[in-house]
Structures are given as C-alpha cells and as structure tokens.
Amino acid sequence: MRHQIALALLTAGTAALVLAGLAVLRLPPPFLRLHALSLASTLGAPLVVLALAVQTGPGRGAVKLLVIGSLLAVGGTVTTMAVGRTTVRRERPGLLRGNQR
Amino acid sequence: MNAWLLAAAALLVGTIGPAIAVALHGPSHRRLVGADLAGTGMPVVFLLLAQGYSRTSYQDLALILAVLAPAGTLVFTRFLAGERG
C-alpha cells in the first residue's frame, strides 16, 4: 500500500517538474517565466521528496529526506524572489522606487 | 529500470534539458532563470538516482547541492543587479 502512495506522489511531483520545464521554455520572457521557477521549487521538488520519504518509511532516512525537501522549497523560494528582483531591475530600470532599490 | 530511474530520466529530459536550453541564449539575467531551474531540478534527480540504485548514502550529494545551488544563484543576482542606484 505504501508503495502505491509513493508512486502516486512521485508521478505528481515529476509531472509538476516537467511542467515547470515546459513552462520555462514556452512562457514569454521576462516575467512570466518566473512562474516556472516557483512551481518547480514549491510544488515539484517537495512532492518528489515526499514520495521518497514515504517509500523509505518512518525513520532517520525519511527525516533527512524531509530536511532536503524543506531546503529545496525554502532555497527555491528565496532564489525565485531574488531572480525576480534582478529581472525587474534589468528590464524596467526605473520601476523600483524608494527602499525597494 | 524501476520507477525512480524512470522519473529521474523524465526529469533530466523534461526539466534539466529546457533549463539548459534557456540558459544557453539571451541576456544574462534571462539565462539566470534556466540556471535557477537547473539548481532546483538537479538535487531531485540526484535523490531519485540514489533511491533508484538503492544507495541511500548518495543522498548527501543532493543535500549539498540543495544548500549550494541557491547560494550560487544569489551570487549571480548580486552581480547582475546588485549595484545600488
């Protein structure tokens, strides 16, 4: 039973990540492409890591996997925001005013 | 050829491939999107390969990459658009 749940989560996560890959190709630059980044790091990666954790079963290994998954989610979110800020400052130089420089 | 290796192959073709394709052309701040997506996708591929070949000790590779890839991307953003004013 646990294997089926893991496979379902794996399929969903892989689909999300492949969708992110296609989105980064198809979405017009520069701003709409950022959606692919957040999709991959906050939906795809955690789902796949959850599938691996379910497959590994309760224990130390699953905790390590969940730590990696949370690192990916948090790191991905931070980098998506940083890349978005960089894109705004290079594409629309005068847009950000005041303390958002 | 179990499900984990299949998923890793699908990710390599479906996520890392487009990320590299985006990172190959265009102005530098648009290439960064591809580099960042690859930085998110590669740890997942490493985890899947570690599980697929049932060598769970290789998960440390994904752990290290999950820590360093965002740092690398942040360094890129610092140089690309970090100057004040």
Side-chain angles (χ1 to χ4, degrees), chain B residues 37-48:
Chain B
L37 182 60
T40 305
M42 270 325 277
V44 176
V45 169
F46 283 153
L47 282 175
L48 286 172

Side-chain angles (χ1 to χ4, degrees), chain A residues 17 21 64 86 89-91, chain B residues 15 29-30 60 80-81 83:
Chain A
L17 277 165
K64 181 171 161 182
T86 306
R89 294 181 65 185
R90 292 294 286 259
E91 297 281 342
Chain B
T15 302
H29 62 276
R30 290 190 189 174
D60 299 346
L80 277 180
E83 66 285 351

Side-chain angles (χ1 to χ4, degrees), chain A residues 7 10 14 17-18 21 24-25 29 37 40-41 45 48-49 52 55 64-65 68 71-72 79 82 86 89-91 101, chain B residues 3-4 7 11 14-15 18 22 29-30 33 36-37 40 44 47-48 51 60 63 67 70 74 77 80-81 83 85:
Chain A
L7 285 187
L10 175 69
T14 309
L17 277 165
V18 169
V24 91
L25 273 182
L37 291 182
S41 58
V48 173
V49 166
L52 288 162
Q55 176 71 16
K64 181 171 161 182
L65 277 167
I68 295 176
L71 264 176
L72 279 173
T79 49
T86 306
R89 294 181 65 185
R90 292 294 286 259
E91 297 281 342
R101 246 184 344 274
Chain B
W4 310 102
L11 281 193
T15 302
V22 166
H29 62 276
R30 290 190 189 174
V33 176
D36 189 21
L37 182 60
T40 305
V44 176
L47 282 175
L48 286 172
Q51 179 72 24
D60 299 346
L63 177 65
V67 170
L74 290 180
T77 54
L80 277 180
E83 66 285 351

